[in-house]
Amino acid sequence: VLNELTELIPIVGGVTAGAYSRARHKFRHTAFIELSKDCIIKPFYQEDIKRHLGFRLLAIDGSLVRVPDTETTREAFGTTKIIDALSKKTVFVQTRCSVLYDVENNLCLDGLIAPRKTHERELAKIHLENTKNGDLLLLDRGYPGYEFLSAVVDTGADFLARCSGVFSKTFDFSKSSDITVKLKKPYRYREDNSLPLMQEFRALKIKLSTGEDEILVTSLLSKKLYPKDIFKELYYKRWGVETFYKIMKSRLALENFTGTSAEAVRQDFFATILITNLETIFTADVNQELENKNTDLQQQVNKNISFNVIKNKAFELFDSNEDIDTILAEMEELFRQTPTVVRPDRIHPKRHHECNRGRDPKIYHHRAKHKINF
């Protein structure tokens, strides 16, 4: 970071480590949240946006992130203990992140970072403050539950979720693979008067290309408006949030934190979200041009280029005497260079390693600590 500041800010003598540390200590991660929501998200949704079947498609998903092991991070996020195949005990610090992501418009609407022991549904319920009528939530199998799905419906939004065996064990698909189910309020919620006594959902059994059956549950009850054959492709759109995490962790090296305190971890997390949202906004017009080009395969802006351009132009965008439109035009010209090809039908089979990356310190070092940012 000091090298980047010294290169970008021509101060005599450069930026000292002490000056950088003192300045950062006064800074709060909430600034990145406000910038993203007030300067990007709110203006963006005042314009026409991409929708699917009339819905704004939103995905909620969580991920574990390994953070520096210090006194402040241990206090803020807690520790995780594992025992590897050689019975070697390892203790490290992990945090649970969660995001609310617009998969059609490639924007992160909300991000949360909490101790690892926090359940993903607890964080998802906080995300629901940003949902409304006209939204369709795409959820992985860890989220379906009587209380949470009821909370989704209460916001006016709809949902499409993959089910685990525990949640779907009472579904009877013997007569049809598209059924309406009525679930009674579980006994453990008997004293919670805010929950309805019964909820009506639609359950579907979808055959995957692998031959496996996938069970989906949705609040879209009308078989006429929403026939069964649309749901396989519709649920697949949830993959956009997985791609978002890949960008955060791999391309932007989220786990390669620029500080060791809990506040530094929060700063890096929300700054990374801000950068991804900026990249989406800045490349939107060029991506539209590439989409309209008459080519055999659809093209899009190369993110290796776009993130590097944004990094190099960041200070000019926020503090420069040069006309902002001129700077943006220069950036767009760079975005047009060497676009990448979109291959929507490409499938990458999962590779199973003998060692989990969280358990192998060598893998962690080369993947995160040793990796250089964009």
Side-chain angles (χ1 to χ4, degrees):
V1 175
L2 291 176
N3 290 337
E4 296 290 344
L5 289 175
T6 302
E7 180 181 329
L8 293 171
I9 308 177
I11 300 176
V12 177
V15 180
T16 66
Y20 168 72
S21 180
R22 288 191 296 272
R24 184 166 187 174
H25 183 71
K26 299 175 183 178
F27 199 77
R28 290 293 174 265
H29 67 275
T30 51
F32 297 113
I33 300 175
E34 293 174 8
L35 278 171
S36 188
K37 292 193 174 183
D38 294 340
C39 300
I40 300 176
I41 296 171
K42 287 182 180 179
F44 180 82
Y45 285 107
Q46 291 176 358
E47 307 292 335
D48 290 335
I49 63 170
K50 292 181 181 179
R51 296 179 181 270
H52 187 78
L53 300 175
F55 292 107
R56 184 173 66 157
L57 294 187
L58 306 180
I60 294 177
D61 199 19
S63 182
L64 295 176
V65 174
R66 188 165 173 174
V67 303
D69 189 346
T70 64
E71 182 179 347
T72 61
T73 58
R74 286 189 172 215
E75 182 180 350
F77 306 120
T79 59
T80 299
K81 182 186 294 184
I82 57 112
I83 301 178
D84 62 18
L86 300 177
S87 298
K88 180 182 178 181
K89 294 182 180 179
T90 304
V91 177
F92 54 91
V93 183
Q94 265 187 331
T95 179
R96 186 178 298 279
C97 301
S98 183
V99 298
L100 175 68
Y101 189 72
D102 184 334
V103 298
E104 288 288 273
N105 297 287
N106 300 318
L107 277 179
C108 181
L109 308 188
D110 192 35
L112 297 169
I113 187 168
R116 184 193 187 282
K117 294 182 179 179
T118 308
H119 197 283
E120 56 189 359
R121 285 187 201 161
E122 293 181 40
L123 299 179
K125 287 181 71 175
I126 300 175
H127 288 313
L128 294 183
E129 297 173 1
N130 299 278
T131 62
K132 58 185 178 180
N133 193 321
D135 292 342
L136 178 63
L137 296 185
L138 305 177
L139 306 167
D140 203 2
R141 61 184 177 183
Y143 293 95
Y146 197 90
E147 181 186 23
F148 180 68
L149 295 183
S150 177
V152 174
V153 173
D154 286 345
T155 68
D158 287 284
F159 63 83
L160 174 63
R162 183 161 67 116
C163 290
S164 63
V166 175
F167 188 80
S168 62
K169 63 181 180 180
T170 60
F171 298 169
D172 182 9
F173 293 108
S174 59
K175 296 181 179 179
S176 174
S177 58
D178 184 354
I179 61 175
T180 300
V181 296
K182 294 182 179 181
L183 300 181
K184 294 182 179 179
K185 182 166 70 172
Y187 182 74
R188 65 179 179 275
Y189 297 125
R190 63 189 183 280
E191 296 181 357
D192 189 346
N193 296 324
S194 65
L195 294 178
L197 296 176
M198 183 175 292
Q199 294 189 65
E200 187 175 42
F201 302 137
R202 183 179 172 191
L204 308 104
K205 181 188 286 188
I206 307 293
K207 183 70 70 175
L208 301 179
S209 58
T210 59
E212 299 175 286
D213 289 326
E214 185 171 72
I215 308 301
L216 303 177
V217 63
T218 181
S219 58
L220 302 177
L221 300 178
S222 174
K223 296 182 181 181
K224 183 178 180 180
L225 292 177
Y226 309 106
K228 179 191 171 185
D229 57 9
I230 71 169
F231 286 98
K232 182 179 179 180
E233 179 187 353
L234 180 57
Y235 183 74
Y236 180 75
K237 287 182 175 292
R238 196 197 72 84
W239 190 252
V241 72
E242 302 284 357
T243 302
F244 174 71
Y245 272 120
K246 181 180 179 181
I247 292 172
M248 291 258 288
K249 289 187 172 184
S250 297
R251 194 176 300 278
L252 299 181
L254 173 63
E255 291 178 311
N256 186 6
F257 290 97
T258 59
T260 59
S261 68
E263 181 59 25
V265 168
R266 296 186 183 99
Q267 289 176 11
D268 282 2
F269 174 70
F270 290 106
T272 304
I273 290 178
L274 173 64
I275 288 295
T276 60
N277 283 344
L278 281 173
E279 194 269 347
T280 294
I281 296 298
F282 288 151
T283 60
D285 289 342
V286 178
N287 272 324
Q288 188 62 51
E289 290 178 18
L290 295 173
E291 186 177 334
N292 294 334
K293 284 179 65 175
N294 186 20
T295 55
D296 293 336
L297 291 173
Q298 183 183 330
Q299 297 178 339
Q300 66 181 15
V301 172
N302 188 327
K303 291 187 181 295
N304 280 329
I305 291 177
S306 59
F307 281 117
N308 191 62
V309 169
I310 292 171
K311 181 192 76 169
N312 291 327
K313 294 289 185 180
F315 283 91
E316 291 183 42
L317 287 168
F318 287 103
D319 185 20
S320 174
N321 294 326
E322 191 175 352
D323 181 57
I324 188 68
D325 290 332
T326 302
I327 299 174
L328 292 175
E330 293 174 358
M331 292 172 64
E332 289 185 349
E333 190 58 37
L334 293 171
F335 294 154
R336 292 185 179 93
Q337 297 178 12
T338 59
T340 57
V341 174
V342 180
R343 294 181 173 88
D345 298 325
R346 175 178 286 183
I347 298 176
H348 298 281
K350 291 184 178 180
R351 293 178 292 178
H352 299 281
H353 299 281
E354 293 181 3
C355 295
N356 182 286
R357 66 176 174 82
R359 301 186 179 190
D360 191 331
K362 293 181 181 179
I363 293 177
Y364 171 66
H365 174 79
H366 287 287
R367 183 177 181 277
K369 296 180 75 65
H370 182 67
K371 193 164 186 175
I372 300 174
N373 268 319
F374 66 98

